[in-house]
């Protein structure tokens, strides 16, 4: 299985840490959106897309990259994020990116998120929330998630 992880990590390096763990398990390069050629994505069996969450949405650089992709039949993808808040209910931030990727032709097989240091807006005044995250358990969960992807997608490739 050939994989790549496209990641935007700008604030504290939290998302990059998660991406590196997943990349290690998937034997995948971890790149920023400006480091990958759009045409190159077609050569991968699995493409990961991730960033931190800002005002309830993925980073603009990642969203703009995905929006710029032409519609085409594509392979499998997964979405991952780090956030001060959970990816559930009315605040489920992964749903719009998953839907966009599906419109672009990807088969999104799964999503992953974990809590992380959040220093946006009023949280900055108190030094942020989730100061100890991602922690060892979060990194282990990211590894387990990637191992599951490798087993499912690798077997289907």
């Amino acid at each position: 299985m050939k994989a790549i992880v496209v990641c935007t990590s700008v604030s504290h390096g939290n998302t990059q840490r998660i991406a590196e763990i997943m990349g290690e398990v998937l034997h995948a390069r971890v790149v920023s959106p400006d480091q990958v050629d759009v045409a190159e994505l077609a050569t991968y069996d699995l493409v990961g897309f991730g960033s931190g969450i800002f005002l309830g949405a993925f980073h603009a650089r990642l969203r703009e990259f995905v929006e710029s992709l032409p519609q085409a039949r594509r392979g499998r993808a997964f979405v991952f994020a780090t956030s001060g808040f959970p990816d559930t209910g009315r605040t489920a931030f992964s749903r719009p990116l998953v839907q966009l990727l599906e419109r672009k032709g990807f088969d999104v097989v799964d999503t992953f998120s974990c809590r992380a240091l959040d220093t946006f807006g009023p949280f900055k005044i108190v030094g942020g929330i989730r100061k100890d995250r991602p922690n060892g358990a979060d990194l282990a969960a990211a590894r387990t998630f990637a191992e599951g992807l490798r087993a499912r997608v690798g077997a289907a490739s």
Side-chain angles (χ1 to χ4, degrees):
M1 174 184 71
K2 186 175 176 187
I4 190 168
V5 177
V6 182
C7 173
T8 301
S9 183
V10 297
S11 294
H12 307 289
N14 296 320
T15 310
Q16 187 70 33
R17 289 173 59 203
I18 297 296
E20 294 292 339
I21 296 251
M22 291 179 176
E24 177 185 312
V25 171
L26 298 169
H27 305 288
R29 277 189 319 142
V30 176
V31 298
S32 64
D34 59 336
Q35 293 175 311
V36 64
D37 179 19
V38 170
E40 180 186 353
L41 292 181
T43 68
Y44 292 94
D45 301 306
L46 181 65
V47 182
F49 295 91
S51 82
I53 300 301
F54 300 86
L55 292 173
F58 282 82
H59 192 277
R61 194 174 318 141
L62 183 68
R63 289 193 326 265
E64 290 165 3
F65 174 74
V66 174
E67 288 167 357
S68 75
L69 297 174
Q71 285 186 306
R73 186 176 175 113
R74 301 182 186 277
R76 293 178 178 93
F78 68 95
V79 170
F80 66 99
T82 57
S83 174
F85 297 96
D87 186 21
T88 59
R90 290 191 339 236
T91 60
F93 45 75
S94 63
R95 191 173 309 129
L97 184 60
V98 167
Q99 291 170 337
L100 177 59
L101 286 165
E102 289 172 342
R103 285 194 305 273
K104 295 297 183 171
F106 285 97
D107 173 20
V108 179
V109 295
D110 212 345
T111 63
F112 174 87
S113 69
C114 69
R115 304 288 180 88
L117 175 61
D118 186 343
T119 56
F120 182 78
F123 302 130
K124 189 172 191 167
I125 296 167
V126 296
I129 60 171
R130 318 284 187 254
K131 295 176 186 178
D132 63 334
R133 306 287 293 272
N135 58 24
D138 296 316
L139 299 176
R143 179 174 298 284
T144 299
F145 173 81
E147 289 167 348
L149 286 173
R150 186 181 64 206
R152 282 182 292 166
V153 176
S157 296

